[in-house]
Amino acid sequence: FSRIELDTISHPPLSFDNACPSLPLLSGRNHIDHVDPLPPPRNQTQEYTRPTPSNPADFPWTFWPECYSNELIPEPLCVFSQQSFAGSRGISIIATSSEAHKILQIPAFTQSGVLGLVNDYTNPPYAEHDFPGKGRGLIATKTLYRGDEIFASTPLLIMDSEAYLLVEKERLKLAHHAVANLPRDSQASFWAMVHHSRGDAVDDRINTNAFDVQINGKPWHAVFPEIARINHDCRPNAAYFFDPETLTHYVHATRPIHPGEEITITYINNAQSRQQRTNSLQRNWGFHCSCAACRANPALTHESDNRLAQIEELEAKLDDWSADSEATPEMAEMLIGLSEQERLSGSMGAAYKRAAMSYSAVGDRWVAARYARLSVEYTMLERGFRDPDVWGMRALASDPEMQWSWKKRVKGCGCRP
Ligand SMILES: C[S@@+](CC[C@H](N)C(=O)[O-])C[C@H]1O[C@@H](n2cnc3c(N)ncnc32)[C@H](O)[C@@H]1O
């Protein structure tokens, strides 16, 4: 790449020696309810990343952004840090100025109340524990029931995935500054995360622990040190989702978890065969999975893989809404039975949705509504409170006859094409 270090910045970034957050410009007044829009980018200069010095209250960041660019990235990528974010947990955002500005408009930044119950680690229902072969993990210290929140965290660092278009040296500089710009406790949480002692110390921790999330319809890498403590299991007892409105990563129990039991999530699509799962964990996460489902006897694994293949077949049949569809409610019952047998936490919301629609399609309103209610509950835990299926299944549960699926598979009722 041809490298352009942006020395067009008329105010260079503050050096870390003089960028003390206690300076009036940088002090806690920057938990903003309102931010005037930054002017749109003008050609390739960095004018727009500067605050208006005469009105520092409009500058929402704790440090002057440091930026890099090259010919592959039309707009420079910078580090934007706000130490007062989320009750002084802080956040660093590696993004273009326009993306950072868009993020400032989301409720996590504009509505002070939305993070009230987030990042509360007093009296947690878990403790850290060493698991040979897996490193540290979390065990439950009290009984958790389905739907109980385990924690809800905001990220310490989010990075636009386009940062990988920067030359490595510059991306690493931004990443190091992003960590150094966080409040002291958050820096400590970042450095305490597990790493594989490969390459750069910050990069290694990001690669080992980051989650892919979508914010404003774009892919980002996000680091949450608390969820980074939870080990993978192909048959987990907890599920997580990221809410882009509050920038919050939620973890909930999806079945009862007893004191002393490890709390686990899945890092992958766990409805794949054992071979596909272990390959994917090795390729994307760099470890050999030691969960019980991966270590099971080949005879048991064979049965499990057969059930997973049948789940896939049933899903395809139940999703066929053509006039020739063979789908029946019995198939949906079979799908639920197999998903439970496989303990496919993460897919139960979708299985109940297929069942609700199958019963709606034959005009059985009460069974349709029962499954729709279950789908709402599981989908909220698996994919978030605002997932479109949550709204769809809520509507089906309260008024099945008004849904497009109603009697869709009843021959001769005039509902089928
Ligand atoms: C996000 S961290 C999880 C917490 C980590 N064990 C620690 O000590 O902080 C992910 C790393 O944990 C280890 N790990 C997680 N789940 C595992 C599993 N099922 N089998 C083996 N190693 C696992 C791997 O080293 C993986 O790269």
Side-chain angles (χ1 to χ4, degrees), residues 133-136 194 196 209 228-229 231-232 267 287-290:
K134 294 199 278 192
R136 288 165 305 177
V194 73
H196 287 121
N209 298 285
R229 281 277 176 275
N231 286 321
H232 163 85
Y267 296 0
F287 69 89
H288 187 71
C289 182
S290 62

Side-chain angles (χ1 to χ4, degrees), residues 212-274:
D212 291 339
V213 298
Q214 291 276 323
I215 305 171
N216 292 329
K218 265 183 64 101
W220 297 75
H221 304 292
V223 175
F224 309 84
E226 294 77 20
I227 193 167
R229 281 277 176 275
I230 305 187
N231 286 321
H232 163 85
D233 196 295
C234 293
R235 301 294 174 253
N237 50 26
Y240 64 84
F241 66 88
F242 176 72
D243 176 21
E245 299 276 296
T246 53
L247 285 189
T248 299
H249 209 283
Y250 288 88
V251 184
H252 291 93
T254 49
R255 60 179 168 81
I257 310 176
H258 304 289
E261 197 180 334
E262 183 175 7
I263 298 171
T264 55
I265 53 172
T266 179
Y267 296 0
I268 51 166
N269 167 10
N270 59 350
Q272 308 171 86
S273 70
R274 174 165 76 173

Side-chain angles (χ1 to χ4, degrees), residues 94-154:
I94 299 180
T96 61
S97 179
S98 8
E99 285 301 330
H101 174 63
K102 273 196 222 154
I103 286 180
L104 282 181
Q105 312 308 310
I106 66 179
F109 283 89
T110 57
Q111 294 172 24
S112 47
V114 298
L115 297 181
L117 298 173
V118 166
N119 300 324
D120 178 3
Y121 305 107
T122 48
N123 200 14
Y126 56 82
E128 274 190 37
H129 189 79
D130 274 321
F131 292 92
K134 294 199 278 192
R136 288 165 305 177
L138 299 185
I139 52 164
T141 49
K142 63 173 226 182
T143 305
L144 292 161
Y145 296 97
R146 183 174 84 215
D148 285 356
E149 185 178 295
I150 299 172
F151 48 67
S153 322
T154 55

Side-chain angles (χ1 to χ4, degrees), residues 154-385:
T154 55
L156 295 187
L157 169 65
I158 55 175
M159 181 166 72
D160 188 329
S161 45
E162 290 202 351
Y164 287 93
L165 295 175
L166 288 171
V167 288
E168 185 169 292
K169 199 172 126 211
E170 290 165 353
R171 178 175 57 80
L172 295 181
K173 259 184 158 179
L174 293 184
H176 276 259
H177 283 188
V179 175
N181 286 355
L182 292 169
R184 208 172 286 275
D185 285 354
S186 296
Q187 285 186 42
S189 307
F190 181 90
W191 288 111
M193 287 190 305
V194 73
H195 58 104
H196 287 121
S197 308
R198 284 195 290 253
D200 177 83
V202 167
D203 210 32
D204 192 7
R205 282 171 176 80
I206 295 175
N207 292 338
T208 308
N209 298 285
F211 282 80
D212 291 339
V213 298
Q214 291 276 323
I215 305 171
N216 292 329
K218 265 183 64 101
W220 297 75
H221 304 292
V223 175
F224 309 84
E226 294 77 20
I227 193 167
R229 281 277 176 275
I230 305 187
N231 286 321
H232 163 85
D233 196 295
C234 293
R235 301 294 174 253
N237 50 26
Y240 64 84
F241 66 88
F242 176 72
D243 176 21
E245 299 276 296
T246 53
L247 285 189
T248 299
H249 209 283
Y250 288 88
V251 184
H252 291 93
T254 49
R255 60 179 168 81
I257 310 176
H258 304 289
E261 197 180 334
E262 183 175 7
I263 298 171
T264 55
I265 53 172
T266 179
Y267 296 0
I268 51 166
N269 167 10
N270 59 350
Q272 308 171 86
S273 70
R274 174 165 76 173
Q275 191 64 52
Q276 289 168 325
R277 296 195 308 266
T278 49
N279 287 349
S280 157
L281 287 165
Q282 188 71 61
R283 197 175 49 244
N284 300 321
W285 287 82
F287 69 89
H288 187 71
C289 182
S290 62
C291 81
C294 287
R295 281 186 289 109
N297 183 290
L300 293 171
T301 304
H302 182 67
E303 276 312 306
S304 163
D305 286 352
N306 285 344
R307 286 192 292 268
L308 291 166
Q310 192 173 16
I311 285 175
E312 208 179 321
E313 253 173 58
L314 286 168
E315 286 176 347
K317 283 192 167 40
L318 290 163
D319 290 348
D320 176 4
W321 288 93
S322 71
D324 315 319
S325 173
E326 297 166 12
T328 62
E330 289 75 17
M331 288 181 191
E333 294 291 348
M334 178 76 181
L335 174 70
I336 290 171
L338 288 171
S339 304
E340 286 171 352
Q341 200 174 350
E342 277 300 304
R343 291 182 288 124
L344 279 188
S345 150
S347 323
M348 290 311 300
Y352 288 129
K353 176 187 169 187
R354 288 187 172 94
M357 293 183 68
S358 298
Y359 279 99
S360 157
V362 296
D364 191 335
R365 67 165 295 154
W366 294 110
V367 185
R370 177 159 69 84
Y371 281 127
R373 292 277 178 225
L374 279 163
S375 179
V376 169
E377 182 194 350
Y378 277 89
T379 304
M380 282 172 108
L381 304 180
E382 295 163 357
R383 300 213 303 269
F385 309 140

